[in-house]
Amino acid sequence: MQSVQKIVEGTDIRIQSSLVKEVPQVATICQEAPHLFGDVFHDHLLNFVIKYLQDSDSQVRLTAEEAVLVLIKRGLLDNNAIEVKICPVIDVHCRSIHFLNWGIALMIKIARLIGKEATEELFLDRYITLCKDEDVFIRKITILRFPELCVVVSRNALFRELLPIYIDLSCEKIWGIRKACVDVMMPFSCCVTRQHRRFLLADLLAMHLNDESKWVRVTAFQILGPFISTFAEQFTDITYNEQGELEFTRQQDSGFSIKYTYEDIFPMTCRIQSHTVDAEENSSKENFNSSVIIEKPIYEEEDESQEDDISTMKACKWKIQKYYNMKMDDPEKYNSFLYYYIAPDCPPDDELVEAAKRSTVQSNNNRKSANKNSNKTSTLNDFFNEDKCEAGDFDSINFHEQEIVPQHLIDSFLWMADLKQCLDTGADIPHHCAFSFPAVVLTLGKEKWPYLKEAYQCLAMAEQWKVRRTVASGIHEIAAILGEDLTSDELLPIHYGFIKDLDEVRIGILKNLATFLHLLQSQDRYQYLPILKEFLTTDNEWNWRFREELATQLLEAVTLFKPYDVERHIVPLSFQLLSDKVAAVRHVALSLVTKIVAYLSLHKRPAPMLFQELRCSLGVYAQKWIRRQTFAFLCGQLISSNAITGTKFSLELLPLLLKLSSDKVPNVRLAVAKTLKNIPVGPDWLDRKEAEKIEERLREMRSDPDRDVRILVGGEESPTLDILSDSKTEPSRNILF
């Protein structure tokens, strides 16, 4: 240890990082043989880690942090050691503005490993002290980590200690703190019950939507749609994926209740454990489902009185109401005239001052009217006036008599659709509205569609093409919710309009075209057949990914139409895609044509026009060697996919394939050789005469001038006979399909 101490006191960062990485393994060895090493871990090794936790270099600190977490996981650090050794280091970092974020992060990571009881004993008071610190920056950084601690502590600590602090911080005078509270409202709302979300957070968010600070309002509007979607009754699980998109998991069993732990991944994501509760045996069966946020947390202390929860909820409600009344009842506070008014020696002009007061009151009323939050005050007061929260009645609060989502949130969400109304809030607010619109429709159900329709049409006609693209990308989701009849009446005109829009908007509907067609009635679906060719026309010819996506969607939509319509409308499109300049488009088109041939064969349609077009456009008559090569690849894919019978293949395609085996371009001969080699042998596919022709041709190709062709069919690298000496040949250019 004396030798190691010299290394610890060195200045080389790489050596320090390497040393601290070895500490957990050395500690494990010492624990396994205490008679040899004694208490080396606590006397020396742990001190090394503590020293590196306070190092000025971030790499060394992070390596030491990983070592601490590994030691805790392996049980080498008990709660007493954490309190005596680690907590003082965290306290030092939390007192420094430069290391505050790192100190809180280490606190949270340790809390996940030691359990709720130890977390409340070691860290809860420390964290609450930071939340109440006089320094604004410390409070702001602390609140940004708020949900991560909430999912670790018990229900008692969450509802009685952390929830009131969150409400207090949300009502702070400093707008930066209020904005930080809004930033974490979504993950925090998933830590509380539906009751808290409805009667506390919903009104708190509504208050922030009308905040005096623009940045608080912008953040509140951005999370409004996702927050509304957490009220969806038909879904238990709600989550953000890695792209920040809100995802839902359908409720399979009404008996599920959910227990959760927090996982620090951005966007904020939780991991849950679902428990099926048996009331008689009071047992549970765990079922893990990763990356899902909770909808209804499980109550852990079943016999605990809920009177304290109700009183806490009332106190928090009173704080929100008090803050709201303070902001709304003093319109003269932000009167610009009075703010800049400097009293002269003579008495002020009473008439002018009164006019300024009336102007300010009218301005505030107009803004509240524009936000459509006029019923918010009654929502805040109803909770107290109706006196629903009597002791013992916490579970009997009647939520079913009310609507699914508080109405003032829905009004504010619909207000976001019109850019002209929300210019002072931000030009991207309609984009957030369009992004969350399918989730809001899902939450309210198709019965409320007439109430949402006007806002959706406004988004579909927005001047910003990004908003229209977002609407186009989610229209199939809304169609799945509304059903065939409403989709036909309400969404088809909008969908038709997007087809003639900019390419940036059209790609939104093209990516989900097959899904949308599947959701339509048959008569509406067939109306799309004549206009599918419009997708081949793009603003930029080099936008080949657009054509690739069209081929992919047609591949999924082939079976939605009758064979006659496929042959009449989709087959011509597939040949255009099969002759595309870009290999990636041709590759998908090969699968498309293969599926068309299989589909028509399944319905006993000979499709003579299809094979005739194949022979004319891609066979030996094609001037471009790429098309002749494509024909060979298509024959190979038809064979490997069993999309064509041996008789049909021998009659329609084999003669041309044998002719192409003598093509002047080596790349074509290479594709032909690969196809001929993979043709099945047997009476079900070829008769004896045709099989002999193929075998003879493969023997001849073993002496092909091109080395790759010879090797593919089993020939030697050096040619023994040039059978194509009389024909013009081109050297291989190693052009891959």
Side-chain angles (χ1 to χ4, degrees):
M1 288 298 101
Q2 293 177 358
S3 302
V4 175
Q5 183 66 35
K6 296 179 181 179
I7 302 177
V8 173
E9 295 174 354
T11 58
D12 193 313
I13 296 175
R14 292 174 299 177
I15 295 178
Q16 292 174 341
S17 299
S18 300
L19 175 63
V20 77
K21 284 181 181 179
E22 301 298 328
V23 170
Q25 183 64 22
V26 176
T28 303
I29 296 174
C30 295
Q31 185 187 36
E32 293 174 352
H35 60 286
L36 296 177
F37 301 102
D39 204 10
V40 171
F41 171 65
H42 287 90
D43 293 342
H44 298 280
L45 296 179
L46 185 56
N47 295 330
F48 300 160
V49 178
I50 299 302
K51 175 179 173 58
Y52 285 147
L53 279 177
Q54 304 174 71
D55 196 272
S56 59
D57 185 79
S58 60
Q59 179 182 349
V60 176
R61 288 200 313 274
L62 290 175
T63 309
E65 175 187 305
E66 293 176 2
V68 168
L69 298 178
V70 172
L71 291 172
I72 295 175
K73 289 179 182 178
R74 295 182 179 179
L76 298 175
L77 280 179
D78 55 15
N79 293 344
N80 183 60
I82 295 174
E83 182 177 7
V84 174
K85 298 287 188 178
I86 308 298
C87 287
V89 177
I90 294 177
D91 292 338
V92 171
H93 285 303
C94 289
R95 286 194 295 269
S96 171
I97 294 180
H98 300 289
F99 300 104
L100 172 64
N101 200 7
W102 184 83
I104 296 177
L106 178 60
M107 181 192 303
I108 299 297
K109 291 177 182 178
I110 295 177
R112 298 173 193 163
L113 300 176
I114 62 178
K116 60 183 179 181
E117 294 181 0
T119 298
E120 293 174 15
E121 179 182 351
L122 299 178
F123 298 132
L124 185 59
D125 292 338
R126 287 182 167 89
Y127 191 86
I128 292 176
T129 302
L130 292 174
C131 290
K132 298 179 179 180
D133 195 275
E134 295 181 357
D135 192 302
V136 176
F137 180 79
I138 293 179
R139 297 203 304 276
K140 182 177 179 179
I141 296 298
T142 306
I143 196 64
L144 291 176
R145 294 279 184 172
F146 201 81
E148 303 178 50
L149 186 68
C150 289
V151 296
V152 179
V153 300
S154 65
R155 173 177 174 264
N156 252 354
L158 171 61
F159 292 150
R160 300 178 189 177
E161 297 190 52
L162 294 179
L163 178 61
I165 291 177
Y166 180 81
I167 300 298
D168 289 339
L169 293 173
S170 298
C171 299
E172 275 234 13
K173 296 181 179 180
I174 301 173
W175 70 266
I177 303 298
R178 299 198 302 275
K179 182 182 181 300
C181 291
V182 179
D183 286 331
V184 300
M185 181 174 286
M186 269 301 297
F188 176 69
S189 70
C190 297
C191 301
V192 299
T193 63
R194 182 184 290 263
Q195 293 92 327
H196 291 85
R197 197 180 307 148
R198 171 179 288 276
F199 284 101
L200 295 180
L201 299 186
D203 291 323
L204 197 61
L205 178 58
M207 184 178 66
H208 290 314
L209 292 173
N210 200 35
D211 197 273
E212 63 193 41
S213 169
K214 173 184 176 180
W215 307 115
V216 177
R217 296 199 305 272
V218 168
T219 308
F221 276 112
Q222 288 176 354
I223 71 164
L224 177 57
F227 183 81
I228 290 174
S229 63
T230 61
F231 288 91
E233 292 182 343
Q234 65 271 45
F235 289 89
T236 298
D237 305 329
I238 307 165
T239 183
Y240 285 107
N241 63 18
E242 295 178 356
Q243 288 73 35
E245 300 168 341
L246 201 65
E247 296 180 344
F248 297 87
T249 303
R250 186 176 296 278
Q251 182 178 0
Q252 301 295 336
D253 187 354
S254 59
F256 275 92
S257 56
I258 296 172
K259 197 174 187 177
Y260 54 86
T261 58
Y262 192 84
E263 186 174 15
D264 189 18
I265 298 177
F266 183 83
M268 296 175 180
T269 306
C270 291
R271 176 169 298 170
I272 63 133
Q273 300 175 351
S274 298
H275 296 258
T276 306
V277 180
D278 189 336
E280 296 180 359
E281 300 180 1
N282 196 21
S283 63
S284 64
K285 179 181 180 181
E286 295 187 353
N287 178 22
F288 292 92
N289 184 0
S290 62
S291 72
V292 179
I293 295 178
I294 62 96
E295 167 68 19
K296 42 181 182 180
I298 189 171
Y299 286 100
E300 296 154 355
E301 299 88 355
E302 297 179 358
D303 57 343
E304 184 179 1
S305 173
Q306 296 174 352
E307 293 183 4
D308 293 339
D309 292 337
I310 298 172
S311 61
T312 303
M313 195 172 179
K314 281 186 175 182
C316 293
K317 194 78 172 182
W318 179 82
K319 291 178 183 178
I320 298 174
Q321 187 185 39
K322 180 181 179 182
Y323 179 78
Y324 173 79
N325 292 336
M326 180 185 68
K327 292 295 182 182
M328 295 298 113
D329 292 346
D330 191 11
E332 298 180 16
K333 184 175 182 179
Y334 303 100
N335 188 314
S336 58
F337 176 82
L338 295 179
Y339 184 83
Y340 292 103
Y341 179 75
I342 300 177
D345 295 337
C346 60
D349 188 339
D350 294 336
E351 183 178 353
L352 186 59
V353 174
E354 289 299 324
K357 292 180 180 180
R358 290 194 299 270
S359 175
T360 302
V361 173
Q362 182 63 31
S363 176
N364 288 341
N365 290 337
N366 289 341
R367 190 171 75 168
K368 286 192 291 180
S369 176
N371 289 347
K372 298 184 179 180
N373 288 331
S374 58
N375 60 341
K376 180 166 56 179
T377 306
S378 62
T379 306
L380 290 166
N381 292 328
D382 286 346
F383 185 82
F384 300 99
N385 296 337
E386 296 180 12
D387 196 18
K388 293 182 178 179
C389 289
E390 295 298 333
D393 277 343
F394 189 74
D395 287 334
S396 64
I397 298 176
N398 194 344
F399 299 100
H400 301 287
E401 293 180 0
Q402 304 180 26
E403 295 189 9
I404 299 173
V405 183
Q407 187 61 40
H408 55 273
L409 296 184
I410 299 298
D411 292 340
S412 298
F413 178 79
L414 299 180
W415 175 82
M416 296 168 59
D418 191 354
L419 178 61
K420 297 178 181 179
Q421 296 184 21
C422 53
L423 277 175
D424 64 325
T425 309
D428 63 334
I429 291 300
H431 181 262
H432 288 278
C433 181
F435 183 81
S436 302
F437 213 95
V440 174
V441 175
L442 177 68
T443 302
L444 299 181
K446 65 179 182 180
E447 296 80 9
K448 299 292 184 180
W449 173 250
Y451 182 66
L452 306 173
K453 178 174 65 174
E454 184 178 350
Y456 189 74
Q457 293 172 347
C458 182
L459 292 170
M461 296 184 293
E463 295 181 3
Q464 299 169 296
W465 64 265
K466 291 184 179 180
V467 176
R468 301 199 304 275
R469 181 178 63 181
T470 305
V471 175
S473 300
I475 194 171
H476 67 289
E477 301 286 358
I478 296 182
I481 299 169
L482 298 184
E484 294 181 350
D485 295 334
L486 281 176
T487 298
S488 178
D489 297 336
E490 305 290 349
L491 300 185
L492 275 185
I494 297 175
H495 201 269
Y496 284 142
F498 286 146
I499 294 178
K500 301 179 181 180
D501 212 314
L502 301 175
D503 283 355
E504 290 82 0
V505 178
R506 298 168 71 201
I507 192 64
I509 60 171
L510 183 58
K511 283 182 175 291
N512 302 286
L513 181 62
T515 303
F516 187 79
L517 293 175
H518 181 74
L519 297 170
L520 296 178
Q521 298 175 354
S522 57
Q523 62 269 23
D524 295 326
R525 187 184 306 133
Y526 282 96
Q527 292 179 7
Y528 274 85
L529 285 172
I531 61 177
L532 288 176
K533 59 184 179 182
E534 295 186 15
F535 285 107
L536 288 175
T537 305
T538 56
D539 298 338
N540 187 350
E541 184 182 358
W542 294 104
N543 189 6
W544 60 268
R545 287 183 176 84
F546 200 93
R547 301 190 297 275
E548 182 187 24
E549 187 61 43
L550 175 61
T552 303
Q553 293 300 314
L554 291 177
L555 179 63
E556 298 178 8
V558 165
T559 56
L560 298 177
F561 301 98
K562 295 180 180 179
Y564 171 77
D565 297 297
V566 171
E567 191 174 357
R568 182 181 177 185
H569 296 282
I570 299 182
V571 167
L573 292 178
S574 65
F575 281 121
Q576 293 187 54
L577 296 169
L578 202 58
S579 304
D580 197 87
K581 297 179 181 179
V582 181
V585 179
R586 298 196 302 271
H587 182 74
V588 181
L590 279 175
S591 301
L592 173 60
V593 175
T594 301
K595 188 168 185 178
I596 290 174
V597 173
Y599 181 66
L600 297 180
S601 301
L602 183 64
H603 289 79
K604 311 298 182 182
R605 290 191 66 86
M609 297 299 296
L610 186 149
F611 291 104
Q612 182 180 351
E613 184 66 25
L614 278 177
R615 291 191 295 268
C616 294
S617 61
L618 301 178
V620 293
Y621 306 106
Q623 295 181 354
K624 296 183 178 181
W625 69 268
I626 287 289
R627 296 189 179 184
R628 302 196 297 272
Q629 184 194 48
T630 302
F631 179 84
F633 280 125
L634 177 61
C635 292
Q637 189 153 338
L638 289 172
I639 294 171
S640 61
S641 302
N642 294 323
I644 190 172
T645 61
T647 304
K648 194 71 174 178
F649 178 79
S650 302
L651 178 64
E652 301 287 354
L653 303 177
L654 183 59
L656 285 182
L657 190 64
L658 292 174
K659 288 183 180 180
L660 286 177
S661 64
S662 303
D663 196 272
K664 61 182 180 180
V665 179
N667 287 348
V668 177
R669 300 198 303 273
L670 189 65
V672 173
K674 183 177 181 180
T675 301
L676 291 177
K677 189 178 179 181
N678 293 329
I679 293 178
V681 178
D684 296 338
W685 257 86
L686 301 174
D687 56 25
R688 182 177 179 182
K689 184 177 180 181
E690 292 169 339
E692 290 177 353
K693 286 182 180 180
I694 293 175
E695 183 62 31
E696 180 183 357
R697 189 67 199 113
L698 289 174
R699 283 196 304 268
E700 293 174 352
M701 296 182 80
R702 290 171 188 163
S703 303
D704 193 272
D706 186 79
R707 172 180 174 274
D708 293 334
V709 176
R710 294 195 305 271
I711 294 177
L712 181 64
V713 295
E716 300 178 355
E717 291 191 17
S718 300
T720 57
L721 179 63
D722 189 358
I723 64 171
L724 298 176
S725 58
D726 296 333
S727 61
K728 296 181 180 180
T729 61
E730 295 182 3
S732 175
R733 291 181 287 174
N734 295 324
I735 299 177
L736 300 178
F737 181 74

